[in-house]
Amino acid sequence: MLPKTLLLLQSLLLLSTLLSSFHVSYAAFNGEAQALLNWKASLQNQSQSMLSSWSLSSNKNTTPCSWHGVVCNQGSVTRINLTSVNLEGTLDHFNFSSFPNLSSFDLQKNSLFGTIPPQISNLSKLSILILGSNQFTGFIPKELGNLTNLSVLILSSNHILGSIPEEIGKLGSLRELRLNLNNLTGPIPASIGNLNQLKVLSLYGNQLSGELPQEFNRLTNLTLVFLSNNSISGFLPEQVCQGGILEDFCASNNRFVGTVPKGFKNCTTLTRLRLDRNNLVGNISEDFGVYPKLDYVDLSYNHFHGELSPNWGKCQLLTSLKISDNQVTGVIPPEIAGSTLLHFIDLSSNKLVGGIPKELATLKSLFNLTLSNNNLSGKIPEELGNLPDLSYLDLAANNLSGIVPLNLGQCSKMLCLNLSSNQLHGGIPEEIGELESLQVMLDLSRNSLSGEIPWQLGHLVKLEILDLSRNQLTGSIPSSFEQMESLRIVDFSHNELEGPVPENKAFRETINADSLGHNRGLCGNYSGLLNCPDRNRGHGNGVLLIIIPLVGASLILSILVGILYGLQKERRKTSDELRDSHHGNLFAIWSYDGKMVYEDIKEATEGFDAKHCIGVGGHGSVYRAELSTGQVVAVKKLHPSQYPKLEDRKTFETEIRALTKIRHRNIVKLHGFCSHAQQSFLVYEYLERGSLGKILGEVEQAKELDWIRRINVAKGVGNALCYMHHDCIPPIIHRDISSNNILLDTKFEARVSDFGTARLVKLDSSNWTAVAGTCGYIAPELAYTMKVTEKCDVYSFGMVILEIMMGRHPGDLICSLSAPSLSPPLRSPSSSSLSSSSSFVEPSTPVVKPNAISLKDVLDQRLASPEPEVAEEIVRIVKLAFACINNNPQNRPTMQQVSQELSSRKLSFSESFDKVTLGQLMGSGSSDLNGSSHASGPLYK
Ligand SMILES: *[C@@H]1O[C@H](CO)[C@@H](O)[C@H](O)[C@H]1NC(C)=O
Ligand SMILES: *[C@@H]1O[C@H](CO)[C@@H](O)[C@H](O)[C@H]1NC(C)=O
Ligand SMILES: CC(=O)N[C@H]1CO[C@H](CO)[C@@H](O)[C@@H]1O
């Protein structure tokens, strides 16, 4: 009996203990749950819907432990992690004292605003506090100093003002401190020297000034130090490498003076060193050592003297060596080619002499070689033509002699070739015309080049800037230049050119007396030029009239001979074409109407007569064709270079058939394809209003495209791309989204055209060149990685959306908001992909502060201000567009997310529309234009 009673008593006791302990922790849960619910209620509506799991359940045992983002330990909340859930609201109603056990509080990448309340210091157990990438304003509360358990403090990418409080020095356990990209001012407090555990210090992109405190030297555990883009003066920290673990030190764009501290010479752990854009002095050959792990070094824009050390060639992992704009003398040591991974070399604007070492041509990953503005002499090594990835070659303003190497024509990825202001002679090699990817610039000006301009240069259809001025070029400007539709700036002045200037839209817009002046006799229908003589009277007469006063009869004779020869060549060509057309076999695919054949289209367009041409795009001219059936179609005639090869026909046919099956209300219908010896073309549905680009370019039409219609166009394009990326198997990447490829029907409904064309017309996609798309819409990573992904379309989409809202191409705006130069980023494509945000270096200071520009001011001024409800939607769409053009493709949304976001009807912004700035739209969430590496976790390495 007794033992039994005892047992009963015991179990009763146990039960009551259990119950009471339950009761206690239930109360604790309840308090925490209530505090979280109170905060939730203070947030904006759609944020509340993101937190739908945060609710009281019907039984009374509500605990927050299973709620989204909440983690408990022993019945009490220890972690709150609400990264990127679109929260909008403040922390004003967060009752911090209700969370005695909270150790990690992470709200990064939301749209929280207001100030950081001093009561946050009530979280006495807090060890990780991450509020980065929000819209917080106000000061850093000095009470943060009470959070003595903090090991990670991240407030980066907000709008925080004022100075860094002295009290920060009380955080003795701090390992990671990131305050970058705010508006902090004043000096770095001396108390920072107390943070002797600190490994990561990121302060870049503020307005900090003053010298670094002496106490900085006590920080000997530093691994990553980012001080760039402030106004810090004085000397660089003497001891920063003393701990032997410094990996990344960036102090660019400040006012540091003096020499590079001795400690840097033996800092063998360095992977990245940026001291560029300061006032540093010293002998560059003595100050730096051998760094076995170094990947990236930039010492540009200082006052270093001395010679380049051959030791740079012993840095086996080096990919970028940038020492431009200093006073460096001596020769380029051939030994630097020992760093076989070098990808980017910029030694421009120094006082280098001697030749360009041909050893540089052994650097198989070389992407950018910039040696301009030195005093280099000798020949351009023709071996440079063997570099498969060479995309930027700038040797301008040296004393180089010899010829332009023919081999350069083999650099199939060349984007920019600048050889101007040298002593080069001989002709322009026709091989230069093989640089089909050339886009940014071809500058051969200010040399002694002679002979005729090769007609092959007309193949450079992507080229935007062409400068051949100040040479001794003769003959005429080849008529093949009519195809060069991307040209924006052209200069032929100060040569000996003559004859008609080709007709070309680009020429018409850019050419003027300055760019054609000082030649022998150019003529044409351009201002400042004499009209060319009537064609019927023959070319010769016109040329003669201009030339007779200038030169003698022998020249006349040779010109006449030349013209006769030219005419004969022309005649031969025509007969060749005729023969081809007889033997050419027709190849056609039609989705529905077998009758629509080559002859019908040819007849409808009167043999592709210019009067039926309705537009000219990247891949060819587009004609309107009314067929014998009465149906109207759009016919896109491809450039001959884009005809499918015979052996590729099978794949091509399969692809075309797949594309003709696509049915979507926002995608232009592709009827089929026709290939013939003379012409190859794609046949599309015809849309009356033409392209979005054209409509935005004309005042009346742009006005007709009002805000509601524009929003609708944005949504339509988003839906089309979402369909192509997520509903087609295999997914279709458009690759060339631009305002010229988006057509509008009578109801202003958008239709995406040219989808898949880029892939079709370049069947050897292994050789896909990075910049096939339209300039200004191309995702930046394409210049460095050769991988075309859906995220490239997302980028182009973002640009188009901004264009729709601004009424003009946003290129200038985007440039002024991001880096000061278009200088490319920074790592070789071979080193880590773009998968981690850390593969981007920190950005340079924007030229224009996004916060200083109000959205209202950049919107299309031809339309009246939008109604409040519409304004709300515009804000949301522009914000989305900025997320789409994030430099880091990983941070861009998918088209699925874009499409969902576009169709949701949530409120977006509390601010009155007039006050919304671009900074607010760019700053939050993933919309970090520079793709920088803030707040991505306790330690991103
Ligand atoms: C720079 O240092 C190197 C190596 O000590 C020395 O040979 C050279 O003369 C120095 N140059 C100048 C300009 O002082
Ligand atoms: C340019 O190089 C030539 C040798 O190719 C040399 O004679 C001449 O002095 C150099 N000019 C200058 C300005 O250095
Ligand atoms: C309960 C508690 O500790 N409350 C404190 C919360 O933080 C504020 C500001 O630091 C203090 O004034 C309170 O005493």
Side-chain angles (χ1 to χ4, degrees), residues 783-803:
Y784 323 109
T785 71
M786 294 296 142
K787 229 173 119 221
V788 181
T789 67
E790 282 96 324
K791 290 297 178 76
C792 302
D793 279 354
V794 175
Y795 182 95
S796 312
F797 172 78
M799 290 297 269
V800 168
I801 296 309
L802 291 178
E803 183 174 356

Side-chain angles (χ1 to χ4, degrees), residues 694-713:
K694 182 182 122 253
I695 289 172
L696 290 177
E698 289 171 25
V699 182
E700 281 319 305
Q701 296 205 54
K703 280 186 181 163
E704 222 178 329
L705 192 64
D706 61 24
W707 290 120
I708 294 181
R709 283 172 172 156
R710 290 186 192 208
I711 289 170
N712 204 36
V713 168

Side-chain angles (χ1 to χ4, degrees), residues 269-471:
T269 46
L270 276 175
T271 60
R272 197 161 66 113
L273 178 63
R274 287 194 63 175
L275 303 178
D276 50 296
R277 296 169 173 82
N278 282 291
N279 295 312
L280 300 170
V281 296
N283 184 339
I284 203 168
S285 30
E286 293 177 331
D287 293 345
F288 298 92
V290 175
Y291 307 96
K293 297 180 176 168
L294 193 64
D295 169 70
Y296 186 101
V297 60
D298 194 345
L299 309 175
S300 307
Y301 295 93
N302 280 293
H303 309 292
F304 291 118
H305 68 274
E307 306 191 353
L308 282 175
S309 164
N311 278 345
W312 292 114
K314 296 182 186 156
C315 303
Q316 289 297 316
L317 300 182
L318 195 61
T319 64
S320 296
L321 176 65
K322 303 184 183 185
I323 314 187
S324 75
D325 295 83
N326 279 286
Q327 319 279 334
V328 183
T329 50
V331 300
I332 301 175
E335 290 88 346
I336 66 172
S339 294
T340 52
L341 302 180
L342 271 173
H343 168 69
F344 202 119
I345 300 179
D346 185 355
L347 306 174
S348 58
S349 300
N350 280 293
K351 296 175 176 167
L352 296 168
V353 295
I356 299 173
K358 64 176 187 308
E359 286 80 358
L360 294 183
T362 63
L363 297 169
K364 287 299 174 211
S365 340
L366 201 59
F367 164 81
N368 185 322
L369 179 61
T370 301
L371 304 175
S372 54
N373 205 13
N374 280 291
N375 199 11
L376 298 169
S377 53
K379 293 183 179 153
I380 299 174
E382 59 179 286
E383 291 84 353
L384 291 178
N386 302 336
L387 292 174
D389 288 334
L390 193 61
S391 302
Y392 288 82
L393 179 61
D394 186 354
L395 307 177
N398 279 292
N399 186 18
L400 298 167
S401 52
I403 58 163
V404 177
L406 318 186
N407 279 6
L408 288 182
Q410 297 168 20
C411 296
S412 61
K413 291 182 185 162
M414 192 74 86
L415 292 168
C416 176
L417 177 60
N418 188 350
L419 306 178
S420 79
S421 304
N422 279 293
Q423 317 279 345
L424 301 172
H425 60 82
I428 300 176
E430 55 190 51
E431 285 80 359
I432 297 298
E434 288 162 25
L435 297 172
E436 281 183 31
S437 59
L438 207 58
Q439 179 180 331
V440 178
M441 166 191 291
L442 172 61
D443 190 347
L444 302 175
S445 67
R446 295 172 193 267
N447 279 291
S448 305
L449 299 172
S450 54
E452 297 197 0
I453 302 173
W455 61 266
Q456 286 89 343
L457 291 196
H459 290 163
L460 305 175
V461 292
K462 293 173 188 157
L463 191 63
E464 296 181 9
I465 300 177
L466 173 64
D467 193 347
L468 302 178
S469 67
R470 293 177 195 268
N471 280 292

Side-chain angles (χ1 to χ4, degrees), residues 92 94-97 116-123 141 143:
D92 298 348
F94 196 100
N95 189 354
F96 296 97
S97 33
I116 300 171
Q119 290 83 357
I120 202 163
S121 62
N122 292 341
L123 299 170
E143 289 81 358

